Amino acid sequence: MPSNQMVTRLLVAVFGGASITIVVAWVCVLLPIKLTCSATLVSARNPPAWCAWIWHGPAVRSVGSMLVTDVAFLDAQARGHGVQIGLRPGVPTWSRPARIDAARAARGDVPPPDAWEFLTEVVSGWPWPALRAAYGAPHGSKSLPTFERGIFIPVLCTHFGQELERGVLPTAPIWPGFLGNTAVYALVIFPIISARHWRRQHRVRRGLCAKCAYPVSGMEKCPECGTSVSKGTVVATRA
């Protein structure tokens, strides 16, 4: 059975790993980096369909999507701009278009009237995407963007686009990445917070004071620093 101290250190490492995961994701999305467009895709040949723009940068990915109902616009996007047909090859599974299109395919119907018309999703985290933000305009809305997920920082937001993306802190976890990053950071934290305990235990096994390493075999208190001698301290023997 693990000791209470061991359980406590494990909990501290896990909590610290989760906290670092959040901080790293927020730092990544706030860095003044330039995102590069990597792909533009249309989910179907016939409307309604999602037209998605995929952007990426160091530890940051963004998917901007628009629900297309105009056949002419869809044709112009697909033919005039070399757009690929099909979300599956390029749009990540955490994106709203991929999830809605999968549900549409399963039901065989069209998006509901309150579906998002314009949507931007930003994910960040290292080594894996861990947190997601989503904001946009519901279908038929002409108002300012609605934030579905994320913390809005007005001072960093100047307009729709990459400046706005840096002004939204993602808050919705992408569980595989969030748990994976937490585990990685916890594995780094645990040895650090356990080093002092392991050093003290090593000294006790050698018959030394756990605090200052003074020989204390057979003593009740360390004459050097006054620390009470652990009952587990062994009696040192000389060859």
Side-chain angles (χ1 to χ4, degrees):
M1 292 290 291
S3 66
N4 291 336
Q5 290 183 347
M6 174 71 77
V7 172
T8 300
R9 292 197 300 273
L10 284 172
L11 291 177
V12 170
V14 171
F15 179 79
S19 300
I20 293 176
T21 295
I22 295 172
V23 170
V24 169
W26 286 359
V27 169
C28 290
V29 83
L30 289 175
L31 289 175
I33 59 175
K34 182 175 180 60
L35 301 181
T36 303
C37 187
S38 59
T40 308
L41 306 103
V42 174
S43 63
R45 295 183 181 277
N46 300 311
W50 286 92
C51 188
W53 294 264
I54 306 170
W55 301 78
H56 66 88
V60 179
R61 293 190 69 187
S62 175
V63 175
S65 51
M66 176 173 57
L67 185 62
V68 181
T69 57
D70 184 349
V71 178
F73 181 84
L74 184 61
D75 287 342
Q77 290 294 313
R79 297 176 184 176
H81 297 84
V83 174
Q84 306 172 46
I85 299 294
L87 282 173
R88 296 280 180 194
V91 174
T93 55
W94 47 258
S95 70
R96 185 76 170 240
R99 298 199 310 273
I100 291 180
D101 268 15
R104 279 181 54 200
R107 295 193 309 264
D109 59 3
V110 299
D114 60 347
W116 292 85
E117 186 171 9
F118 299 97
L119 185 69
T120 298
E121 297 169 281
V122 182
V123 299
S124 62
W126 188 89
W128 298 288
L131 293 178
R132 167 181 169 269
Y135 56 90
H139 186 67
S141 172
K142 304 299 182 184
S143 61
L144 294 175
T146 299
F147 288 84
E148 181 192 43
R149 296 286 188 275
I151 301 174
F152 178 46
I153 306 178
V155 70
L156 296 178
C157 298
T158 58
H159 55 75
F160 261 110
Q162 291 179 228
E163 293 297 325
L164 180 59
E165 289 165 7
R166 288 203 294 270
V168 182
L169 298 180
T171 57
I174 302 173
W175 287 113
F178 188 91
L179 295 177
N181 291 359
T182 297
V184 169
Y185 296 131
L187 287 174
V188 175
I189 293 173
F190 183 75
I192 295 175
I193 63 177
S194 299
R196 181 171 177 269
H197 172 78
W198 292 336
R199 183 173 63 249
R200 291 173 67 93
Q201 291 299 311
H202 179 65
R203 289 174 176 176
V204 167
R205 287 193 295 270
R206 294 173 57 201
L208 306 177
C209 173
K211 183 176 182 181
C212 69
Y214 189 86
V216 292
S217 297
M219 303 179 186
E220 294 184 357
K221 184 176 293 187
C222 175
E224 184 74 14
C225 67
T227 301
S228 298
V229 176
S230 171
K231 293 181 179 180
T233 303
V234 301
V235 177
T237 60
R238 293 184 180 180

